[in-house]
Each structure stands twice: as C-alpha cells, then as structure tokens.
Amino acid sequence: MLFPKQRPWNLPEQDAAPESAWTNRRQLLLAAGFGLAGWAGTEHDLAAQAVPASGAFRNGKRNPAFTRPDISPEAAATGFNNFYEFTTDKQQVRNSVGRFQTQPWQVEITGLVNRPMKLDLDEMGRRMQQEERVYRFRCVEAWSMVVPWTGFPLADLIRMVEPKPEARFVRWWTAYRPKEMPGMVQQPWYKWPYYEALRMDEAMNPLTLVATGIYGKPLPKQNGAPVRIVVPWKYGFKSIKSVVKIEFVKNQPSTFWNDAVPAEYGFYANVNPKRPHPRWSQATDKRIPTMDVEPTQPFNGYADYVAAMYKGNEI
Ligand SMILES: Nc1nc2c(c(=O)[nH]1)N[C@H]1C(S)=C(S)[C@@H](COP(=O)(O)O)O[C@H]1N2
Ligand SMILES: [Mo]
C-alpha cells in the first residue's frame, strides 16, 4: 500500500510549531514583504488582482459595537491564508486560486426548516442588511489578525428559513471543485469537501457572521469568496470558507478537522488560553504580520457575548 511519506495528520496545521520555527517564520514573512517596510511593494501586487464583484456584497456601515483601532494591514489578511483546498502554503494561497469560479454562486439551505431554499448570491445581497464589524481572528496555530468583515448575522438568515424545533445543529460545506482547487487533488487523503458545524445557539449568537467582504470589498477568493462563516470566539478552522450548502439537523455533525485529527481539534474549539493544543501552548498568539506576541483571551476576547452558552460545561 502507498502512504504519503509523512502522514498529513501529523502536521495538519503545519506552521504551528516550536518557537524556533516562529523565528524562521518571522524572517520568512519579513523577506516576503510582510515587514512594514516592505508593505508598499505588496500593495502593488494586490492592485493587479482585480476582485470580481460578488452578488451578495453590499457595502455596510461599520457597527460601532464592533470596532477597534488595531486592524491588520489588508495585505496581511489577503496574503497569509489557510485554505487547504488550494495549498497548505499560506503565502501561496492567493496565487493558487486563479481557476476558482465564484460566479455564479448558489447556497442551498436544507434540512429541518420550514422554508428550504436555494439562494443565489444576488438574492442574498438584496435580502440581507449588511454591516461591517472588526473582529479579532485567532487561528488554532497561535497566530492572529484583526479583520474588518462585511456581512450580516447568521441569525438573520436562520430566521428567514424558519428552523423546526427539532433542529439542534447547523452544518455547512465548502464547494467541491477538484478541477479548480489544486490542493484537493494534491491531498486526496482528506475527506473533501471541507465541512463544519455549530450548535444552534452558537449559530444564532449575534456574533456569528455570514461574511461577504473584507476591507470594504467583496471577499477575495483566498479568504473564502463569495460567502463564508465567521465565528470569532472559536479557532479559525470553524470559520468555513466558500459555502455552498447549509443543513439544519438534529444530531451533532462531524467536522473536517475533528474527523482528521480528533485528539487535536474538537467540535467546539472555543479559544481557550488555558487549554494547550497537544503540540503547543495556546496562552499567547502572534499577530500577523509583525509577529508581536499577545496574550490569548478566553473566547478570543468575546466572553461577554458567548460564555453563558457554555456554563457548567467548559468546552
Ligand atoms: N473550506 C475551508 N475553510 C477554511 C479553511 C480551509 O482550509 N478550507 N481553513 C480554516 C482555517 S484553519 C483558518 S485559520 C481560516 C483562515 O481564514 P483566512 O485565510 O481568511 O485568514 O479559514 C478556515 N476555513
Ligand atoms: Mo486555522
């Protein structure tokens, strides 16, 4: 039997590594133009990449309840990505998405709802009231960014489809496009398409966003165009990209990383500085692109909004 030389699940989040690797990473980033001094050069490249208009995107006003001054440079958020369908090289995702077709796009909403529907993105854009929110984003690999998302509360979409009382979880899938997503073909051992889920109360929490844009523009492909979920109090892998299907179900669904490496990635995956990953501490994180170290906060700083959902059940 043929096995990949190195079992992929030994290094799924391969850049999360000992401190020494972070030092190297910093040098790499600086060399790649991620240093502040190199910033102007990166902007030039970005300007050359036209972002196609997405049907759902509508410029929304910033919500004053969710703003903060330390927004990451746009080039960091669009140039350092996890999107394994394309490549595991974070700085190459943006150069690997060229074949990915994000228009037209339809999202199927199905399962335990009174009003199942197939929503094309223009329709979603027309129906949903969009706003901008600046959220801290924390990857399980112990790096972080602060991103201005455009989108709308997932709760608004959920109310529109009228879940039945039996619906206790919501699950979703990323597009399955091996011809457009080279990483799927290069990593056949994963259970594509990428799939994730939330408990119903988590999905209805006012913090949970359906995002259609960042930095006042439609979502770039590398960030999950044309529509993704953002769950800011959980590790980044819960924030699934390029969603094509949403299903309301009774039982707790399985999730991509939990299936791949159950000992390392849980279903709930709430940001918790006191619970180390089996291979590294989660007590601090490093800000992209400066790599400044920051203490990681419980629930990524959103405890006031979400801690009550987990009372008596520390997960
Ligand atoms: N479909 C899909 N969604 C995904 C991923 C992925 O590989 N595929 N990576 C996740 C991880 S690990 C992180 S940290 C975030 C990264 O989002 P960003 O590239 O916009 O920062 O996307 C998440 N959503
Ligand atoms: Mo991540």
Side-chain angles (χ1 to χ4, degrees):
M1 280 229 288
L2 271 177
F3 286 104
K5 271 209 189 91
Q6 196 146 28
R7 293 301 206 98
W9 34 91
N10 291 338
L11 61 162
E13 306 266 42
Q14 59 187 13
D15 288 302
E19 283 302 306
S20 60
W22 277 112
T23 318
N24 293 337
R25 168 62 61 184
R26 175 171 192 150
Q27 273 147 16
L28 279 173
L29 284 167
L30 291 172
F34 276 89
L36 293 174
W39 218 254
T42 328
E43 287 297 338
H44 173 76
D45 295 346
L46 284 174
Q49 281 193 320
V51 180
S54 134
F57 178 78
R58 277 209 330 248
N59 239 326
K61 274 208 196 108
R62 182 167 302 174
N63 182 334
F66 302 105
T67 188
R68 46 190 288 164
D70 56 340
I71 296 176
S72 301
E74 182 176 349
T78 59
F80 185 88
N81 302 98
N82 270 335
F83 204 164
Y84 274 33
E85 284 86 334
F86 294 96
T87 169
T88 56
D89 182 337
K90 299 178 205 313
Q91 292 174 63
Q92 286 304 321
V93 177
R94 65 191 283 258
N95 298 321
S96 310
V97 293
R99 266 178 287 158
F100 185 32
Q101 295 299 318
T102 57
Q103 282 182 302
W105 194 273
Q106 213 179 39
V107 180
E108 183 186 358
I109 308 178
T110 179
L112 300 170
V113 290
N114 291 329
R115 305 182 58 211
M117 54 180 80
K118 285 185 177 153
L119 209 54
D120 83 56
L121 274 225
D122 288 329
E123 179 79 7
M124 193 185 284
R126 273 194 300 273
R127 290 214 201 179
M128 297 298 163
Q129 177 66 48
Q130 312 246 348
E131 61 183 63
E132 184 180 70
R133 294 188 186 186
V134 181
Y135 279 161
R136 194 173 196 281
F137 189 83
R138 174 38 161 104
C139 175
V140 73
E141 300 165 331
W143 54 263
S144 63
M145 296 190 194
V146 172
V147 179
W149 302 97
T150 307
F152 52 87
L154 175 64
D156 292 353
L157 191 72
I158 294 180
R159 279 187 213 102
M160 187 171 81
V161 297
E162 298 173 14
K164 298 182 184 195
E166 314 91 87
R168 291 175 50 235
F169 292 88
V170 195
R171 60 199 305 218
W172 22 64
W173 289 266
T174 295
Y176 181 87
R177 306 265 189 87
K179 289 192 179 129
E180 301 172 26
M181 298 171 146
M184 286 182 61
V185 182
Q186 287 152 10
Q187 305 167 90
W189 49 85
Y190 287 125
K191 283 170 66 182
W192 308 112
Y194 197 98
Y195 49 103
E196 257 300 337
L198 291 175
R199 211 168 62 190
M200 196 64 167
D201 58 337
E202 299 176 321
M204 289 295 292
N205 188 282
L207 284 187
T208 307
L209 279 193
V210 179
T212 60
I214 51 174
Y215 298 87
K217 300 169 195 166
L219 268 181
K221 292 178 185 179
Q222 63 269 35
N223 294 89
V227 61
R228 73 180 293 179
I229 305 294
V230 178
V231 195
W233 73 95
K234 293 179 180 283
Y235 292 120
F237 66 86
K238 298 293 293 182
S239 292
I240 187 173
K241 296 176 165 182
S242 306
V243 170
V244 290
K245 186 176 170 186
I246 303 177
E247 185 183 19
F248 292 77
V249 295
K250 190 171 175 189
N251 298 317
Q252 182 176 315
S254 58
T255 53
F256 182 91
W257 279 114
N258 186 233
D259 277 350
V261 201
E264 302 195 357
Y265 309 105
F267 175 85
Y268 282 98
N270 292 324
V271 174
N272 183 350
K274 291 199 183 132
R275 180 190 285 203
H277 183 278
R279 292 184 282 129
W280 57 85
S281 163
Q282 295 290 27
T284 62
D285 54 75
K286 293 195 164 116
R287 205 32 123 60
I288 308 295
T290 57
M291 295 299 179
D292 288 342
V293 178
E294 296 173 10
T296 296
Q297 304 294 332
F299 300 104
N300 200 24
Y302 298 101
D304 289 351
Y305 297 90
V306 301
M309 289 193 290
Y310 309 104
K311 275 282 146 55
N313 186 13
E314 287 310 314
I315 37 185

